[in-house]
Amino acid sequence: MEKLVSNWSKNVGAVPEDYIYPPETRPGNMHIPIGESIPVIDLSQADKGDRTVTIQKIINASQEFGFFQVINHGIPDNVMKEAMSVWKEFFELPVEAKKDLYADSFTTKDCWLSPSSLNYGREKVHMWREALRHSCHPLQKWHHMWPQTPPRYQECVGACSVEIKKLGSKILRLISEGLGLHGEFLDEYSQTMVLSANYYPACPQPELTLGVTKHADPSIITLLLQDGVSGLQVLKDDTWIGVDPNPHAIVVNIASQLQVICNGKLKSAEHRAVTNSRKARISAAFFIGALAESIIEPAKALVDELCPPIYKSFKSKEFLPKLYETYGDSQATLEFFKA
């Protein structure tokens, strides 16, 4: 538990050496502005007869950025607010209340709290964060394994998880249609959902460290809730762009296995999280993905003589171990699965 940043970060005036990133990867003193170019898509338009227009906006954003935000998405504000509140309560619990969930290496636990990442023992540099992880779908299979404290955790996070899964399925069906596939094509690749609730304490020297290093997510699609504190950045054309921390919007990003399924027509977005010296930040990422034994391969409808498969077939469970081997280097991992 002593490895959790929140246990000691308030008592230090400088970032410890094993949290300082090399100059070429640390954020530095340069201010990264919030990017107005990152698409914000009003999903209510798809229900008002503008479905084709909305689909095209999603496809364009997924091709150019691999990243977009959705508003008027159908999840009540109070559901998101209550979930964010209960995650905040959890991370502020005393150490003793969280010790049974703690794991700093690969674990068989169904719900666990880790410092930095589950690569902690192999990391050259640690990330300035801690994360609570557990499966969320199907809800009845997992929710009884979630934290008992705070007492409202299971109720609030359960309600949010159900809404997020419905929204994720809706977005994937819009993407399927936009790719020229039948609307339910991606349903079979969205049978699981895992939460990573992330806590980034205030940092005395945010220019030296990172909350999360540059990476692309390993699953199919990620939906992210933010608490209104900036920190999320996406990489486009070798330039970092800040993402508006709108607590009413949902951030959506294309993940690596969807890039494989669509044969490179959409791109998985590399992104990172930075810290700040004034406020702690909380985010909640829901990773929607395929079952472990599912075959991940380019959709046959998207492959022909002019567009041969870029990637080979593999089981979904093979992707994450390869990502850990490359220390989270998503590009190197995708290269391994090239045809």
Side-chain angles (χ1 to χ4, degrees):
M1 294 291 283
E2 70 279 357
K3 296 173 183 174
L4 293 175
V5 180
S6 60
N7 283 355
W8 48 263
S9 58
K10 291 180 181 178
N11 302 317
V12 298
V15 171
E17 186 175 348
D18 54 349
Y19 286 82
I20 298 177
Y21 281 86
E24 65 273 16
T25 57
R26 70 179 65 153
N29 289 309
M30 183 176 69
H31 173 67
I32 304 293
I34 297 298
E36 295 182 0
S37 59
I38 294 177
V40 178
I41 299 172
D42 184 346
L43 281 189
S44 68
Q45 294 176 351
D47 302 319
K48 297 176 181 176
D50 291 334
R51 187 176 182 86
T52 302
V53 173
T54 302
I55 287 172
Q56 196 56 53
K57 287 179 179 179
I58 289 174
I59 294 299
N60 291 345
S62 301
Q63 290 174 334
E64 185 177 0
F65 291 91
F67 232 81
F68 55 94
Q69 295 205 66
V70 293
I71 57 173
N72 295 323
H73 40 67
I75 302 181
D77 263 3
N78 68 300
V79 171
M80 297 192 296
K81 185 177 179 180
E82 287 298 311
M84 293 301 291
S85 172
V86 85
W87 284 314
K88 184 174 186 291
E89 285 182 52
F90 173 83
F91 286 114
E92 292 177 348
L93 289 171
V95 172
E96 193 69 19
K98 298 180 285 189
K99 68 177 184 179
D100 290 341
L101 297 172
Y102 180 77
D104 59 17
S105 59
F106 287 102
T107 178
T108 57
K109 290 182 179 180
D110 294 307
C111 178
W112 69 96
L113 173 68
S114 70
S116 186
S117 77
L118 285 180
N119 251 349
Y120 188 93
R122 299 175 61 230
E123 291 172 343
K124 297 170 185 171
V125 185
H126 303 309
M127 296 182 285
W128 195 270
R129 72 130 181 208
E130 52 204 57
L132 174 67
R133 297 177 174 88
H134 57 69
S135 294
C136 297
H137 180 80
L139 184 65
Q140 63 273 18
K141 179 179 178 180
W142 300 108
H143 80 281
H144 64 282
M145 303 177 186
W146 297 354
Q148 302 288 323
T149 307
R152 9 180 242 124
Y153 187 96
Q154 294 183 8
E155 177 187 355
C156 294
V157 176
C160 187
S161 297
V162 169
E163 295 294 334
I164 287 285
K165 183 60 175 66
K166 286 194 296 187
L167 176 60
S169 295
K170 178 178 181 177
I171 292 170
L172 285 173
R173 288 175 183 176
L174 294 172
I175 289 174
S176 289
E177 290 181 39
L179 290 170
L181 304 168
H182 66 80
E184 298 179 358
F185 180 85
L186 291 173
D187 286 2
E188 67 174 290
Y189 299 104
S190 59
Q191 300 299 312
T192 69
M193 187 168 76
V194 176
L195 164 72
S196 177
N198 309 297
Y199 180 64
Y200 308 95
C203 176
Q205 295 173 294
E207 70 277 7
L208 299 180
T209 190
L210 286 164
V212 176
T213 54
K214 182 181 78 170
H215 69 288
D217 294 339
S219 53
I220 300 296
I221 197 172
T222 304
L223 275 63
L224 180 85
L225 279 65
Q226 302 191 84
D227 66 353
V229 178
S230 62
L232 177 63
Q233 299 176 349
V234 62
L235 187 66
K236 184 179 187 296
D237 300 329
D238 295 322
T239 300
W240 287 107
I241 303 171
V243 178
D244 181 14
N246 182 348
H248 306 290
I250 303 285
V251 177
V252 181
N253 68 277
I254 304 302
S256 297
Q257 291 186 38
L258 182 51
Q259 179 172 320
V260 172
I261 293 167
C262 71
N263 204 35
K265 293 185 183 301
L266 310 180
K267 69 174 186 179
S268 55
E270 290 190 309
H271 51 287
R272 69 182 184 182
V274 298
T275 62
N276 71 79
S277 60
R278 303 175 308 282
K279 293 182 178 179
R281 174 175 176 259
I282 293 175
S283 69
F286 289 86
F287 304 102
I288 296 175
L291 295 170
E293 298 294 329
S294 296
I295 300 298
I296 306 298
E297 62 184 3
K300 291 178 174 54
L302 302 179
V303 173
D304 56 29
E305 290 183 2
L306 297 177
C307 296
I310 300 173
Y311 303 98
K312 59 188 177 184
S313 299
F314 59 90
K315 289 184 177 180
S316 179
K317 67 180 180 182
E318 297 174 39
F319 195 87
L320 200 56
K322 187 58 63 176
L323 188 65
Y324 281 126
E325 281 180 30
T326 62
Y327 294 94
D329 187 331
S330 47
Q331 294 304 317
T333 303
L334 280 170
E335 281 295 318
F336 177 83
F337 292 105
K338 283 283 184 74

